[in-house]
Amino acid sequence: MPQTLHRLSLLESIIGAVNLGAIVLDDNRSILLWNRWLERHSGWQADTVLGRDFFEVFPELQHKRIESAITQALRDNFQSLLSQSLHKAPFPLYQQAAAGSERRERMQQAVAVTPISLPGTPRHCLIQITDVTIAVGREKLLREQTMVLRSQTFSDGLTGVANRRHFDVAIDKEMRRARRSGSPLSLLMIDIDHFKDYNDQYGHQQGDTCLKQVAGALAAMLNRSGDVLARYGGEEFAAILPDTELSKALGLAEAIRKGVRALAIDNGQQDGAPRPITISIGVASHSAGAPLEMGQLIGAADRALYRAKDGGRNQVISNDSPPTPPA
């Protein structure tokens, strides 16, 4: 008998010392055990909850996942682990307030419900509650850092649009999709006219501002979810336009050209008249059902851009269209 009492005393001390919450329910869902960890984080002393119905103490948990888990443990001898992503903080348990602060943060929890079978007695169940606040915080921080790194990897640091690496990934993805579906795909190659003159006259800092203004205007006009605008290099941009035929791509390119000119960014004078920043655009399109190669599409857009630059700049050209005078 003394040995049995010693074992019970030792077990009680262990349950009181563990760094997790422990609740034992009998077959009527009455609380038989409430350890010191729960006293600290719930604010309820054991003598105020022992013998009470579990859902009298936690009425907000009735008809929730925890109730079905308790029923499965007592009736079916089935263990349950509550999904932490779906049940982040089911119990009203709180972190200890920081020194000098009255604010207490609700604890993020992992919950397990385990049946307990003892010879000659009705089935009981053990509810274990683990504080996972720190682990959840670390996971959130890692996700945020991953998103930042991904953004830095695939975004141009100056203009905020996609960078060349993002373009390479996106054009490959859209080429594959166009091959599978037989849908059209268009590409715009866009270059800022006389940008070297602008940099020489106003300096690189002002040149960076110009690049950001032009990128912002381009992005505002390429607002479909599938469109990708990328800084291709230097003062050159590229726009991938999925599900877009040549006629629509030419219309959009012309609207973009006019939109950038309307920014009225001063680039000095030409023949005594103000010369605003303008862009030249080369357009290439893949028609549904035709053979499609990435190098051919990019090469065609590049050649069209060269023709636009060589033909006087400030214009939109495709390989299927004749040069037009600057407007």
PDB file of all heavy atoms in Angstrom, residues 207-230:
ATOM      1  N   GLY A 207      17.882  58.736 -64.763  1.00  0.00           N
ATOM      2  CA  GLY A 207      17.604  57.644 -65.695  1.00  0.00           C
ATOM      3  C   GLY A 207      16.857  56.504 -65.023  1.00  0.00           C
ATOM      4  O   GLY A 207      15.936  55.917 -65.608  1.00  0.00           O
ATOM      5  N   ASP A 208      17.248  56.194 -63.778  1.00  0.00           N
ATOM      6  CA  ASP A 208      16.534  55.149 -63.027  1.00  0.00           C
ATOM      7  C   ASP A 208      15.079  55.550 -62.791  1.00  0.00           C
ATOM      8  O   ASP A 208      14.166  54.722 -62.892  1.00  0.00           O
ATOM      9  CB  ASP A 208      17.223  54.894 -61.687  1.00  0.00           C
ATOM     10  CG  ASP A 208      18.547  54.153 -61.840  1.00  0.00           C
ATOM     11  OD1 ASP A 208      18.819  53.644 -62.942  1.00  0.00           O
ATOM     12  OD2 ASP A 208      19.305  54.099 -60.845  1.00  0.00           O
ATOM     13  N   THR A 209      14.869  56.829 -62.478  1.00  0.00           N
ATOM     14  CA  THR A 209      13.501  57.314 -62.279  1.00  0.00           C
ATOM     15  C   THR A 209      12.687  57.163 -63.558  1.00  0.00           C
ATOM     16  O   THR A 209      11.511  56.749 -63.527  1.00  0.00           O
ATOM     17  CB  THR A 209      13.509  58.782 -61.831  1.00  0.00           C
ATOM     18  OG1 THR A 209      14.237  58.900 -60.602  1.00  0.00           O
ATOM     19  CG2 THR A 209      12.094  59.308 -61.629  1.00  0.00           C
ATOM     20  N   CYS A 210      13.299  57.466 -64.683  1.00  0.00           N
ATOM     21  CA  CYS A 210      12.625  57.312 -65.971  1.00  0.00           C
ATOM     22  C   CYS A 210      12.240  55.855 -66.212  1.00  0.00           C
ATOM     23  O   CYS A 210      11.116  55.561 -66.643  1.00  0.00           O
ATOM     24  CB  CYS A 210      13.529  57.827 -67.085  1.00  0.00           C
ATOM     25  SG  CYS A 210      12.874  57.559 -68.755  1.00  0.00           S
ATOM     26  N   LEU A 211      13.159  54.949 -65.950  1.00  0.00           N
ATOM     27  CA  LEU A 211      12.870  53.521 -66.135  1.00  0.00           C
ATOM     28  C   LEU A 211      11.683  53.090 -65.275  1.00  0.00           C
ATOM     29  O   LEU A 211      10.811  52.335 -65.735  1.00  0.00           O
ATOM     30  CB  LEU A 211      14.098  52.683 -65.771  1.00  0.00           C
ATOM     31  CG  LEU A 211      15.231  52.654 -66.794  1.00  0.00           C
ATOM     32  CD1 LEU A 211      16.472  52.003 -66.184  1.00  0.00           C
ATOM     33  CD2 LEU A 211      14.809  51.906 -68.050  1.00  0.00           C
ATOM     34  N   LYS A 212      11.625  53.567 -64.038  1.00  0.00           N
ATOM     35  CA  LYS A 212      10.526  53.201 -63.148  1.00  0.00           C
ATOM     36  C   LYS A 212       9.199  53.775 -63.639  1.00  0.00           C
ATOM     37  O   LYS A 212       8.158  53.111 -63.565  1.00  0.00           O
ATOM     38  CB  LYS A 212      10.826  53.677 -61.722  1.00  0.00           C
ATOM     39  CG  LYS A 212      11.924  52.863 -61.041  1.00  0.00           C
ATOM     40  CD  LYS A 212      12.084  53.200 -59.581  1.00  0.00           C
ATOM     41  CE  LYS A 212      12.874  54.465 -59.378  1.00  0.00           C
ATOM     42  NZ  LYS A 212      13.225  54.693 -57.947  1.00  0.00           N
ATOM     43  N   GLN A 213       9.238  55.007 -64.156  1.00  0.00           N
ATOM     44  CA  GLN A 213       8.013  55.607 -64.681  1.00  0.00           C
ATOM     45  C   GLN A 213       7.491  54.842 -65.889  1.00  0.00           C
ATOM     46  O   GLN A 213       6.288  54.571 -66.005  1.00  0.00           O
ATOM     47  CB  GLN A 213       8.263  57.070 -65.049  1.00  0.00           C
ATOM     48  CG  GLN A 213       8.440  58.001 -63.861  1.00  0.00           C
ATOM     49  CD  GLN A 213       8.740  59.419 -64.319  1.00  0.00           C
ATOM     50  OE1 GLN A 213       9.854  59.734 -64.730  1.00  0.00           O
ATOM     51  NE2 GLN A 213       7.733  60.278 -64.258  1.00  0.00           N
ATOM     52  N   VAL A 214       8.391  54.502 -66.792  1.00  0.00           N
ATOM     53  CA  VAL A 214       7.982  53.761 -67.991  1.00  0.00           C
ATOM     54  C   VAL A 214       7.460  52.371 -67.600  1.00  0.00           C
ATOM     55  O   VAL A 214       6.417  51.924 -68.095  1.00  0.00           O
ATOM     56  CB  VAL A 214       9.153  53.643 -68.984  1.00  0.00           C
ATOM     57  CG1 VAL A 214       8.790  52.687 -70.123  1.00  0.00           C
ATOM     58  CG2 VAL A 214       9.512  55.017 -69.543  1.00  0.00           C
ATOM     59  N   ALA A 215       8.172  51.697 -66.684  1.00  0.00           N
ATOM     60  CA  ALA A 215       7.727  50.366 -66.244  1.00  0.00           C
ATOM     61  C   ALA A 215       6.347  50.444 -65.611  1.00  0.00           C
ATOM     62  O   ALA A 215       5.492  49.577 -65.837  1.00  0.00           O
ATOM     63  CB  ALA A 215       8.736  49.779 -65.261  1.00  0.00           C
ATOM     64  N   GLY A 216       6.111  51.484 -64.820  1.00  0.00           N
ATOM     65  CA  GLY A 216       4.799  51.643 -64.194  1.00  0.00           C
ATOM     66  C   GLY A 216       3.698  51.831 -65.216  1.00  0.00           C
ATOM     67  O   GLY A 216       2.596  51.268 -65.085  1.00  0.00           O
ATOM     68  N   ALA A 217       3.983  52.630 -66.277  1.00  0.00           N
ATOM     69  CA  ALA A 217       2.988  52.842 -67.331  1.00  0.00           C
ATOM     70  C   ALA A 217       2.707  51.547 -68.091  1.00  0.00           C
ATOM     71  O   ALA A 217       1.547  51.230 -68.399  1.00  0.00           O
ATOM     72  CB  ALA A 217       3.478  53.925 -68.288  1.00  0.00           C
ATOM     73  N   LEU A 218       3.745  50.784 -68.377  1.00  0.00           N
ATOM     74  CA  LEU A 218       3.564  49.506 -69.079  1.00  0.00           C
ATOM     75  C   LEU A 218       2.739  48.538 -68.236  1.00  0.00           C
ATOM     76  O   LEU A 218       1.810  47.896 -68.731  1.00  0.00           O
ATOM     77  CB  LEU A 218       4.920  48.890 -69.408  1.00  0.00           C
ATOM     78  CG  LEU A 218       5.865  49.680 -70.313  1.00  0.00           C
ATOM     79  CD1 LEU A 218       7.183  48.943 -70.465  1.00  0.00           C
ATOM     80  CD2 LEU A 218       5.240  49.924 -71.678  1.00  0.00           C
ATOM     81  N   ALA A 219       3.100  48.428 -66.967  1.00  0.00           N
ATOM     82  CA  ALA A 219       2.401  47.489 -66.074  1.00  0.00           C
ATOM     83  C   ALA A 219       0.928  47.856 -65.938  1.00  0.00           C
ATOM     84  O   ALA A 219       0.060  46.974 -65.844  1.00  0.00           O
ATOM     85  CB  ALA A 219       3.074  47.479 -64.704  1.00  0.00           C
ATOM     86  N   ALA A 220       0.617  49.163 -65.919  1.00  0.00           N
ATOM     87  CA  ALA A 220      -0.772  49.596 -65.765  1.00  0.00           C
ATOM     88  C   ALA A 220      -1.622  49.179 -66.949  1.00  0.00           C
ATOM     89  O   ALA A 220      -2.840  48.975 -66.809  1.00  0.00           O
ATOM     90  CB  ALA A 220      -0.817  51.113 -65.590  1.00  0.00           C
ATOM     91  N   MET A 221      -1.005  49.048 -68.124  1.00  0.00           N
ATOM     92  CA  MET A 221      -1.770  48.692 -69.322  1.00  0.00           C
ATOM     93  C   MET A 221      -1.764  47.187 -69.601  1.00  0.00           C
ATOM     94  O   MET A 221      -2.536  46.712 -70.432  1.00  0.00           O
ATOM     95  CB  MET A 221      -1.228  49.462 -70.527  1.00  0.00           C
ATOM     96  CG  MET A 221      -1.639  50.927 -70.489  1.00  0.00           C
ATOM     97  SD  MET A 221      -1.017  51.890 -71.891  1.00  0.00           S
ATOM     98  CE  MET A 221       0.618  52.298 -71.292  1.00  0.00           C
ATOM     99  N   LEU A 222      -0.906  46.459 -68.930  1.00  0.00           N
ATOM    100  CA  LEU A 222      -0.873  44.999 -69.074  1.00  0.00           C
ATOM    101  C   LEU A 222      -1.473  44.412 -67.803  1.00  0.00           C
ATOM    102  O   LEU A 222      -0.766  43.925 -66.921  1.00  0.00           O
ATOM    103  CB  LEU A 222       0.569  44.517 -69.270  1.00  0.00           C
ATOM    104  CG  LEU A 222       1.242  44.976 -70.564  1.00  0.00           C
ATOM    105  CD1 LEU A 222       2.736  44.686 -70.516  1.00  0.00           C
ATOM    106  CD2 LEU A 222       0.610  44.287 -71.774  1.00  0.00           C
ATOM    107  N   ASN A 223      -2.784  44.478 -67.685  1.00  0.00           N
ATOM    108  CA  ASN A 223      -3.428  44.151 -66.417  1.00  0.00           C
ATOM    109  C   ASN A 223      -4.188  42.834 -66.407  1.00  0.00           C
ATOM    110  O   ASN A 223      -4.899  42.542 -65.455  1.00  0.00           O
ATOM    111  CB  ASN A 223      -4.385  45.286 -66.015  1.00  0.00           C
ATOM    112  CG  ASN A 223      -5.321  45.683 -67.138  1.00  0.00           C
ATOM    113  OD1 ASN A 223      -5.536  44.901 -68.062  1.00  0.00           O
ATOM    114  ND2 ASN A 223      -5.863  46.892 -67.065  1.00  0.00           N
ATOM    115  N   ARG A 224      -4.060  42.007 -67.449  1.00  0.00           N
ATOM    116  CA  ARG A 224      -4.661  40.672 -67.372  1.00  0.00           C
ATOM    117  C   ARG A 224      -3.792  39.794 -66.479  1.00  0.00           C
ATOM    118  O   ARG A 224      -2.564  39.933 -66.438  1.00  0.00           O
ATOM    119  CB  ARG A 224      -4.770  40.046 -68.753  1.00  0.00           C
ATOM    120  CG  ARG A 224      -5.705  40.773 -69.712  1.00  0.00           C
ATOM    121  CD  ARG A 224      -5.849  39.965 -71.003  1.00  0.00           C
ATOM    122  NE  ARG A 224      -4.556  39.590 -71.548  1.00  0.00           N
ATOM    123  CZ  ARG A 224      -4.386  38.745 -72.545  1.00  0.00           C
ATOM    124  NH1 ARG A 224      -5.434  38.167 -73.118  1.00  0.00           N
ATOM    125  NH2 ARG A 224      -3.181  38.468 -73.003  1.00  0.00           N
ATOM    126  N   SER A 225      -4.418  38.857 -65.790  1.00  0.00           N
ATOM    127  CA  SER A 225      -3.676  38.040 -64.838  1.00  0.00           C
ATOM    128  C   SER A 225      -2.577  37.215 -65.495  1.00  0.00           C
ATOM    129  O   SER A 225      -1.548  36.935 -64.893  1.00  0.00           O
ATOM    130  CB  SER A 225      -4.631  37.113 -64.085  1.00  0.00           C
ATOM    131  OG  SER A 225      -5.313  36.256 -64.986  1.00  0.00           O
ATOM    132  N   GLY A 226      -2.774  36.812 -66.764  1.00  0.00           N
ATOM    133  CA  GLY A 226      -1.779  35.972 -67.424  1.00  0.00           C
ATOM    134  C   GLY A 226      -0.653  36.730 -68.097  1.00  0.00           C
ATOM    135  O   GLY A 226       0.373  36.146 -68.456  1.00  0.00           O
ATOM    136  N   ASP A 227      -0.816  38.052 -68.288  1.00  0.00           N
ATOM    137  CA  ASP A 227       0.228  38.836 -68.946  1.00  0.00           C
ATOM    138  C   ASP A 227       1.458  38.952 -68.053  1.00  0.00           C
ATOM    139  O   ASP A 227       1.349  39.059 -66.830  1.00  0.00           O
ATOM    140  CB  ASP A 227      -0.293  40.249 -69.258  1.00  0.00           C
ATOM    141  CG  ASP A 227      -1.425  40.245 -70.271  1.00  0.00           C
ATOM    142  OD1 ASP A 227      -1.582  39.240 -70.975  1.00  0.00           O
ATOM    143  OD2 ASP A 227      -2.155  41.253 -70.341  1.00  0.00           O
ATOM    144  N   VAL A 228       2.629  38.926 -68.653  1.00  0.00           N
ATOM    145  CA  VAL A 228       3.880  39.066 -67.906  1.00  0.00           C
ATOM    146  C   VAL A 228       4.704  40.183 -68.524  1.00  0.00           C
ATOM    147  O   VAL A 228       5.041  40.139 -69.709  1.00  0.00           O
ATOM    148  CB  VAL A 228       4.698  37.757 -67.914  1.00  0.00           C
ATOM    149  CG1 VAL A 228       6.045  37.968 -67.212  1.00  0.00           C
ATOM    150  CG2 VAL A 228       3.921  36.633 -67.240  1.00  0.00           C
ATOM    151  N   LEU A 229       5.006  41.189 -67.705  1.00  0.00           N
ATOM    152  CA  LEU A 229       5.898  42.269 -68.127  1.00  0.00           C
ATOM    153  C   LEU A 229       7.228  42.075 -67.428  1.00  0.00           C
ATOM    154  O   LEU A 229       7.278  41.915 -66.206  1.00  0.00           O
ATOM    155  CB  LEU A 229       5.318  43.635 -67.761  1.00  0.00           C
ATOM    156  CG  LEU A 229       6.248  44.834 -67.988  1.00  0.00           C
ATOM    157  CD1 LEU A 229       6.512  45.038 -69.478  1.00  0.00           C
ATOM    158  CD2 LEU A 229       5.670  46.095 -67.351  1.00  0.00           C
ATOM    159  N   ALA A 230       8.310  42.085 -68.199  1.00  0.00           N
ATOM    160  CA  ALA A 230       9.634  41.869 -67.618  1.00  0.00           C
ATOM    161  C   ALA A 230      10.619  42.914 -68.132  1.00  0.00           C
ATOM    162  O   ALA A 230      10.491  43.396 -69.264  1.00  0.00           O
ATOM    163  CB  ALA A 230      10.138  40.465 -67.963  1.00  0.00           C
TER     164      ALA A 230
END
